[in-house]
Amino acid sequence: MTIKNDQSELRVLRTANADIPVSGATLADVAKVAGVSPITVSRALNQPQLVRPNTLARVQQAVQQTGYVKNMMAGALASNRSKLVSLVIPSIATPIFAEMVEAVTDTLTQAGYQLLLGLSRYEPWREEVLVETILSRRPDGIIVTGTLHTDNTRRRLELSGVPVVEAWDMASSPIDMVVGFSHEEVGQATARHLLKRGYRRIAILAVNDPRGARRNQGLQAELARHGVAVAAVQLMPLPTTLQLGREGLAQLLAQAPELDAVVCSSDTLAHGVLTEAVSRGLDVPGQVAVIGFGDLNFAAHTYPPLSTIHVDGRNIGTVAAQLLLDRLDGGNQVRPRVIDTGFELIHRAST
């Protein structure tokens, strides 16, 4: 295969002021088409409020005609800023993470930054590879999910000199800054909620998620403090689906037919548990109580409505992004490095 790379292969834009190759248009090309100086074009693109409206309109039209794209790398070299912030999350399939992505994007965009998104799929080795790749692109800041990382990931982030926010978790000694809540406290609150309502044969249904595991540890510790042992534990593979919830309840009942409550690591699993319970003729919450995590948009509309833990993913994203922006502006040196956004246990009819 022969690749032609000579000027004759380029499509040419013919205007009243200049013949400009469409491929690789420059600032000077835009200036020729608009009939203004390159300095005026630069001002129109970077400080449009300083340019007269009719001149600004001509520059904008010329940009569209030529297909000009601003060279962000040149600006980055001049300012030592890439205007990129990276966010690493486990998955975009979970609505609460999607809400966080939207909030981070909105906050960064308003400040002139763009988001570089990476998916770790709950696997520490993937996060390690992503962090190495991201740092090679010299981002201005990084947001990672959780505080559990490989030693290499933590070391790279600590030595990078880049502002780092760990989200969706709590830590007394974060890499840099942390925004989130205590998963252990979520587990403890869930245990107290069920015990208060008389449930004693409590089972756990979860996927292989490190933050979910910490909620389960808090749950079991609080139950043990009241002399109650967990009736059964069933771990399911990722990704979380309603079908896994149905299968999970079937397996839990096989292990512990006498169980009277199921704590699920997500609302999606809990929805599956409710569906399977109804198909078996089990009364919820009379014979088996069900509680989820996340307070997803369907949780209040299941049958019966699902008790769950509400976490404000949008707020976590907004606060995390704002912490980075404040640090980049040099204005948050006195702000706390640890921000607890909290959680709320929502009591509905399923418990």
Side-chain angles (χ1 to χ4, degrees), residues 177-350:
M177 299 170 280
V178 63
V179 177
F181 56 95
S182 168
H183 291 270
E184 290 83 359
E185 289 183 9
V186 169
Q188 294 163 12
T190 302
R192 290 192 294 269
H193 173 76
L194 293 174
L195 291 171
K196 182 179 178 180
R197 281 153 184 79
Y199 299 104
R200 294 295 183 271
R201 299 183 297 279
I202 300 168
I204 295 173
L205 178 61
V207 293
N208 189 22
D209 166 16
R211 283 165 294 282
R214 290 165 66 179
R215 293 195 294 274
N216 293 339
Q217 290 169 6
L219 173 82
Q220 294 185 66
E222 185 67 14
L223 291 177
R225 199 169 70 83
H226 291 83
V228 176
V230 169
V233 177
Q234 182 62 49
L235 295 179
M236 307 298 285
L238 289 163
T240 303
T241 63
L242 187 148
Q243 179 183 347
L244 283 183
R246 296 195 64 170
E247 295 173 354
L249 178 58
Q251 294 175 34
L252 285 172
L253 288 170
Q255 297 177 53
E258 76 286 357
L259 67 83
D260 61 7
V262 179
V263 177
C264 301
S265 63
S266 73
D267 284 353
T268 302
L269 282 180
H271 192 188
V273 169
L274 288 176
T275 304
E276 182 65 18
V278 169
S279 74
R280 290 169 175 258
L282 296 175
D283 177 67
V284 179
Q287 292 175 276
V288 57
V290 183
I291 187 168
F293 175 85
D295 196 22
L296 302 185
N297 56 12
F298 61 79
H301 308 288
T302 57
Y303 181 78
L306 180 65
S307 294
T308 185
I309 303 295
H310 176 78
V311 177
D312 193 341
R314 178 168 289 278
N315 184 48
I316 290 174
T318 299
V319 173
Q322 194 59 56
L323 275 180
L324 281 182
L325 293 174
D326 289 349
R327 174 68 64 80
L328 292 170
D329 289 341
N332 75 333
Q333 302 303 318
V334 297
R335 291 187 64 178
R337 296 172 60 212
V338 178
I339 297 182
D340 189 343
T341 56
F343 62 89
E344 181 182 3
L345 194 152
I346 307 295
H347 178 208
R348 297 191 179 108
S350 69

Side-chain angles (χ1 to χ4, degrees), residues 76-122:
L77 290 172
S79 65
N80 201 29
R81 291 281 176 86
S82 66
K83 289 294 182 177
L84 285 177
V85 169
S86 179
L87 170 62
V88 179
I89 60 174
S91 169
I92 57 173
T94 304
I96 49 179
F97 286 133
E99 290 175 358
M100 177 188 179
V101 172
E102 288 183 356
V104 171
T105 301
D106 291 345
T107 305
L108 293 176
T109 300
Q110 291 174 9
Y113 287 80
Q114 298 299 317
L115 183 67
L116 181 64
L117 183 65
L119 303 180
S120 67
R121 304 192 184 281
Y122 296 95

